[in-house]
Amino acid sequence: MQKASISESVIRRLPRYYRYLSQLESQGIERTSSRELGIQLGLTASQIRQDLNCFGEFGQQGYGYNVAALRRQLKLIIGLNKSRSAIIVGAGNLGKVIAANIDFCAYGFRLTGIFDIDHNICGSEIAGFTVQHMDSLEQFCRETEPLIAVLCIPQEAAQETADILTALGVKGFWNFSHCDLDVDRCQFQVENVHLGDSLMTLSYRMPKDED
Amino acid sequence: MQKASISESVIRRLPRYYRYLSQLESQGIERTSSRELGIQLGLTASQIRQDLNCFGEFGQQGYGYNVAALRRQLKLIIGLNKSRSAIIVGAGNLGKVIAANIDFCAYGFRLTGIFDIDHNICGSEIAGFTVQHMDSLEQFCRETEPLIAVLCIPQEAAQETADILTALGVKGFWNFSHCDLDVDRCQFQVENVHLGDSLMTLSYRMPKDED
DNA sequence: TAGATTGTTAATCGATTAACAATC
DNA sequence: TAGATTGTTAATCGATTAACAATC
């Protein structure tokens, strides 16, 4: 499906392409071109053609790209057609919001369980799931074999929990724990989300004379 | 303070440097070097020296960097010493989590108000703030002059709300609305947060044979 | 056919890495 | 002083942009 190894920059742009094509499709627009896409996304037409050609030839000379077809291809490329088991570890505020607001199915996953270490939270219902205690995590993993875990736990517990989950077969982490997991420690995939870093870049870019 | 214009790549690394130095400082470590930092952060020593030298000369030949001093400098560079007024627009699940969990002061801002369009939510207490109705937004902005707004509203409302806020003097947006705001539309700064995009990149990087 | 736009190669640009004199 | 490590210049590498033949 893909030619050589794809650079991180290209990977980061794929979701934007997919998102924008979904929007076009929902507006009933049938065709587009690298030029049009470029204008909308603030990229050059060249770059878009280069990016897409990492994965195949999806366009047609003189015509451009069929919106629905290209979106379908991107969906496959990103893996959004799959339904891989995902669990949430940590059912505090953040865990709850993610459970309730993230449409895992739209991203190629399905939520299969929510865990927390606090007995007071366990047993409560979130997004149709009963929060289970961490004690049942091991058995659950052996039975359900979740592929990824969403870590919504404190920084201190993150690496240890990730190690345990890795040993239980979890292959990827969506990490909200305000720390960078040690990627080399295993062959797993980690996507660290740092909302604080995001806000800091905004802080940096604000006018320097304001208080 | 800075030499030429700083590249986006450098800006994105600054929060990581700051975070790691904070960690070192809290561990009571006094000095470090570009080599040590590089090993910990998975970067080359060269790159770290290049990055830091965009902003000044913070090290000492033969010694390296003083952890506390370098952290203090980065704090100033990123603007974390400031206390710029920030409001949250949209007090749904996400707005609530951000209000309750983000330590704005640690990032150079202070939360001054929370707004929502739903009368049922208005009047309720979140993180010590009474949620106000959007109707009072204009007056509030004229009085308090918030510098940034955190957008936790639906996609459809995002651009319009941003335009209104821009007209009211808001200079930056931390945008959780699942859409990209039109940056050119004004001279404001936008940090778009796309949790879905983040999860998609994880999806892309998962083994292709799993379902 | 003529116009448009692709896929792809070549040129440019910028970011990262290497090297090293300066110096603590 | 000798060893270490910086700040900075030069070399390399990779990503972006430009150009254009192929072709729908």
Side-chain angles (χ1 to χ4, degrees):
Chain A
M1 181 185 266
Q2 71 193 48
K3 295 186 173 173
S5 85
I6 308 297
S7 80
E8 185 69 15
S9 331
V10 174
I11 296 174
R12 293 274 156 198
R13 282 192 292 268
L14 292 178
R16 283 191 72 203
Y17 295 152
Y18 179 75
R19 247 191 306 126
Y20 187 64
L21 286 162
S22 303
Q23 201 182 311
L24 287 182
E25 191 177 2
S26 74
Q27 288 167 5
I29 295 167
E30 260 183 39
R31 60 175 273 201
T32 187
S33 68
S34 57
R35 196 178 145 273
E36 283 180 358
L37 284 172
I39 290 169
Q40 289 304 321
L41 297 172
L43 305 170
T44 62
S46 242
Q47 181 166 52
I48 288 173
R49 291 205 299 279
Q50 289 271 28
D51 284 357
L52 295 177
N53 276 84
C54 293
F55 303 98
E57 308 187 4
F58 306 125
Q60 211 170 40
Q61 279 100 332
Y63 172 86
Y65 300 91
N66 177 282
V67 169
L70 183 55
R71 175 176 178 272
R72 201 162 44 239
Q73 289 293 341
L74 280 170
K75 190 169 178 171
L76 294 174
I77 290 164
I78 305 175
L80 306 183
N81 56 315
K82 311 208 171 196
S83 175
R84 297 155 295 195
S85 170
I87 59 173
I88 292 177
V89 180
N93 287 318
L94 186 61
K96 272 186 227 166
V97 169
I98 289 173
N101 288 274
I102 298 287
D103 180 6
F104 283 90
C105 295
Y107 302 114
F109 297 100
R110 66 178 197 283
L111 190 56
T112 52
I114 305 178
F115 296 84
D116 201 285
I117 204 162
D118 183 349
H119 281 100
N120 295 320
I121 294 178
C122 296
S124 65
E125 286 259 327
I126 302 175
F129 289 89
T130 303
V131 178
Q132 302 177 63
H133 193 264
M134 290 296 277
D135 290 343
S136 21
L137 187 61
E138 184 170 339
Q139 202 197 333
F140 181 92
C141 286
R142 297 204 190 289
E143 285 168 4
T144 312
E145 297 185 342
L147 196 66
I148 70 160
V150 186
L151 299 185
C152 303
I153 55 183
Q155 194 171 353
E156 310 78 60
Q159 187 66 58
E160 194 197 335
T161 306
D163 290 342
I164 293 171
L165 287 164
T166 302
L168 290 168
V170 171
K171 296 277 194 301
F173 293 93
W174 199 23
N175 177 32
F176 288 83
S177 301
H178 300 282
C179 70
D180 294 314
L181 291 175
D182 186 350
V183 181
D184 296 332
R185 197 120 144 201
C186 294
Q187 76 299 14
F188 55 56
Q189 297 293 329
V190 175
E191 172 74 4
N192 293 308
V193 180
H194 286 292
L195 294 182
D197 286 15
S198 169
L199 186 52
M200 280 196 248
T201 66
L202 187 57
S203 169
Y204 173 82
R205 284 165 5 216
M206 296 311 290
K208 285 286 172 271
D209 54 331
E210 308 275 347
D211 55 349
Chain B
M1 185 185 261
Q2 70 193 43
K3 295 186 175 173
S5 86
I6 308 298
S7 80
E8 184 68 17
S9 332
V10 175
I11 296 173
R12 293 275 157 198
R13 281 192 293 270
L14 293 179
R16 283 191 72 205
Y17 295 152
Y18 179 75
R19 250 193 301 127
Y20 186 64
L21 286 163
S22 303
Q23 200 182 313
L24 287 182
E25 191 176 1
S26 73
Q27 288 167 4
I29 294 168
E30 261 183 37
R31 61 176 271 197
T32 187
S33 67
S34 57
R35 195 178 145 273
E36 282 180 359
L37 284 171
I39 291 168
Q40 290 304 321
L41 299 172
L43 305 169
T44 62
S46 241
Q47 182 165 53
I48 289 173
R49 290 205 299 279
Q50 290 271 28
D51 284 358
L52 295 177
N53 275 85
C54 293
F55 303 99
E57 308 187 3
F58 306 125
Q60 210 168 43
Q61 279 101 331
Y63 172 87
Y65 300 89
N66 177 281
V67 169
L70 183 55
R71 175 176 178 274
R72 199 162 44 238
Q73 288 293 340
L74 281 170
K75 191 168 177 173
L76 292 176
I77 290 163
I78 305 174
L80 306 183
N81 57 314
K82 310 207 173 199
S83 176
R84 296 155 295 196
S85 170
I87 58 172
I88 294 177
V89 180
N93 287 317
L94 186 61
K96 272 185 226 166
V97 169
I98 288 173
N101 287 272
I102 298 286
D103 179 6
F104 283 89
C105 293
Y107 302 115
F109 297 99
R110 65 176 197 284
L111 190 56
T112 52
I114 305 178
F115 296 84
D116 201 283
I117 204 161
D118 182 349
H119 281 101
N120 295 319
I121 293 177
C122 295
S124 65
E125 285 259 327
I126 302 175
F129 289 88
T130 303
V131 178
Q132 302 176 64
H133 192 265
M134 291 295 277
D135 289 343
S136 20
L137 187 60
E138 185 170 339
Q139 202 198 333
F140 182 92
C141 287
R142 299 206 189 286
E143 285 168 5
T144 312
E145 297 187 341
L147 195 65
I148 69 161
V150 186
L151 299 184
C152 303
I153 53 183
Q155 195 170 352
E156 310 78 59
Q159 186 67 58
E160 193 198 334
T161 307
D163 289 343
I164 293 170
L165 287 164
T166 302
L168 289 168
V170 171
K171 295 276 193 303
F173 293 94
W174 199 23
N175 176 32
F176 288 83
S177 301
H178 300 282
C179 69
D180 294 313
L181 290 176
D182 187 349
V183 181
D184 296 331
R185 199 120 141 199
C186 293
Q187 74 301 12
F188 56 56
Q189 297 293 328
V190 175
E191 171 75 4
N192 293 306
V193 180
H194 286 292
L195 294 181
D197 286 15
S198 168
L199 186 51
M200 282 196 243
T201 66
L202 187 57
S203 168
Y204 173 82
R205 285 168 359 219
M206 296 309 292
K208 287 285 171 271
D209 54 331
E210 308 275 347
D211 58 348

